[in-house]
Amino acid sequence: MAEPEISIIEREETERKEILKRYKSLLRSIRHELTIEQKRAIRAAFDMALDAHKDMRRKSGEPYIYHPIAVAKIAAQEIGLGTTSIVCALIHDVVEDSDYTIEDIKRKFGEKTARIVDGLTKIKEVFDHTDSMQAENFRKMLLTLSDDVRVILVKLCDRLHNMRTLDSMSRKNQLKIASETLFLYAPLAHRLGLYNVKSELEDLSIKYTQREAYKEISAKLNAKKAERDRFVRKFIEPIKKKLEETDLKFEIKGRPKSIYSILKKMNHQDIPFEQVYDLFAIRIILDSSPEKEKSDCWTAYSIVTDIYKPNPSRTRDWITTPKSNGYESLHTTVMSNDGKWVEVQIRTERMDEIAEKGYAAHWKYKNSKDGIENDGKTGGVDGWLARIKDILENPSSNALEFLDDFKLQLIHEEIFVFTPNGDLKKLPKGATALDFAFEIHTQVGSKCIGAKLNNRLVPLSHQLSNGDQVEILTSEKQHPREEWLNFVITGKAIARIRNFLRESKRELAEKGKEILKKKFHKEKIEFNDDNIQKLVRYFKVQSPLDLYYAINKELIPSEKLLISDIVNKKISQSQNKSQSEVERQTQNNRKSEIIVGEEYDLPYNLAKCCNPIPGDDIFGFITIGEGVKIHRTNCPNAVSLMSNYGYRIIKAQWKDTDVKNENRFLAGLRLIGIDDVGIVSSLSDIISKNMGVNMKSITIESHDGTFEGTIAVYVEGTKHLDNLISNIKQRHPTMNVFRIEVGS
Ligand code: MN
């Protein structure tokens, strides 16, 4: 019995030494000068974590404490965060895993640290430990995040370390964590300008979610490495020589592109690896004094472009106007002697650090030596967090919608526009006149019928450009419409419109409920939950609310409805005659026009939320009990489906989009423009002259010089539809025409 005990003691001894070694390496990685109090705080945090996790091990079998030490080291070394963040990183899992409370932390480390750790603990509670309701949790998480940006930063360090050690997790958890990372944490890192963290998170994510593609690309990158290095050396040589003749201090190197961005390019342009030409970029980093930064960069630029011919359309000057995440750099793409385009990035050491480490570094140069510690916020992030808060505080937007809104906030760049009084408004790029109206006031947005742009009349869907002066036109008769969601992009406008639609749906549903109640009464059937649920299931609607709404809207014809039959299950769904003849016909004929997965004849249904037509980019989603549903990849539901249920996504493609198809698919078009006499006859003329397009319905409404119309047509596919759209646009050049969901 003595022997194993000794080996346990020995193991504990080795581990104790290893823990101390790792802790010391953390201390060495901190590059700012530490005061005695700061040293004490870090030591106290380490001791607390050591005690809290003393009996715990990670999935890999290692002592748990390795994890918080590693997270703190990432915070210090890779992002350049200060003492408070390092302390928080060390104790980020303490409250969750031990008897220590937030109160204990407050007593020992003060109010600020306690608040950040509290935020980190809440994220864990609501987010990491549940499988379902992710979006709702996500919303809660952001509520805490927006308190102090350090919560996000430490959380990103935590996630990065978990991604680096994902191998020991189960496949299911690997997929869940990796898709979440790609969906949420990588864009967050990007928005904060943490370029290195972002690309490592992306690469690690696809390493697990797209294993084959990842393996293939990294193998090919390795195979060609020597050849690439030779090319870079040869390319750099003349630049180096010329730069050495000046008095610039510089470093020049080849930077490989990330695997994720190569894969994205392959998918986006539909090309094989071999055709991705920019597998690397050349980076010139100058050691400049602050006042000479800009002129030094342009000197280097002129040297490079004297040697190699630049592509003028691909010069980017982010030195004069930095990106909103703080990025500064001068980019140009030049033609090498071998006839290949090569991107050259020119920047100073300061710019390079900001580019790789983001806001923390930015803050460091802008303000104190203490990094981001002072108040945890900087200008750009502030504005962004304020916008997030605005969405969060609007109780109407439900979680999934919120997720989409949030994504929009992340990816859009900003434009500046003016009110008639000359007030400046900031909007995301791509925002329309209607977004602007909602930005001014909900009432202005709800009543918007169009706008005057620099004194020209434009429809409400008109996309604004930098510097536009916008006057909103309103009408008392106007109210928010579902189609508006097709051209607003700001979280505020989306939330307000949805809120209104939900409210009005609720009112309509109330009336539908009364109609249904009467039906029940007439057939002498009890109006109870049980029977309502039977109808909900029978008509395959989402909820009783949807059922009532459908009854009111006569989507379910209440006259012919025999409740007793359904409730007593006398007829089956297939005998349901509520679908129109045409729809039934297309439903039946279109089987096996899509290849699902690698199979030809997997049964599927077209999703009602986005109504794909041949030619649309599509994917399959494996539902529970209803087989495969085909969605458009730009379906409003796609992002959340893919990120929350990535493992249920299955490839799907149309067998043939060129062949003339006997089947017709229903598609909707929304038309918005300046009112014109005879618009209806002009439109029906165009449509009837378009071979084989049948119109199902057309509605046109005009208000004070502008009009909005909807047409529903039967088409063969996207080409057919595009053809129709361009014919309409040819005849009416100022009209906005875009596709909408039918029946919405
Ligand atoms: Mn952790």
Side-chain angles (χ1 to χ4, degrees), residues 64 67 71 92-93 124 158 162:
Y64 193 86
H67 169 64
V71 175
H92 78 273
D93 282 333
K124 250 192 119 95
D158 181 36
N162 286 333

Side-chain angles (χ1 to χ4, degrees), residues 273-290:
F273 175 85
E274 286 68 25
Q275 282 174 32
V276 179
Y277 69 90
D278 50 348
L279 294 173
F280 59 88
I282 301 296
R283 188 172 295 167
I284 302 173
I285 299 165
L286 302 164
D287 179 4
S288 292
S289 56

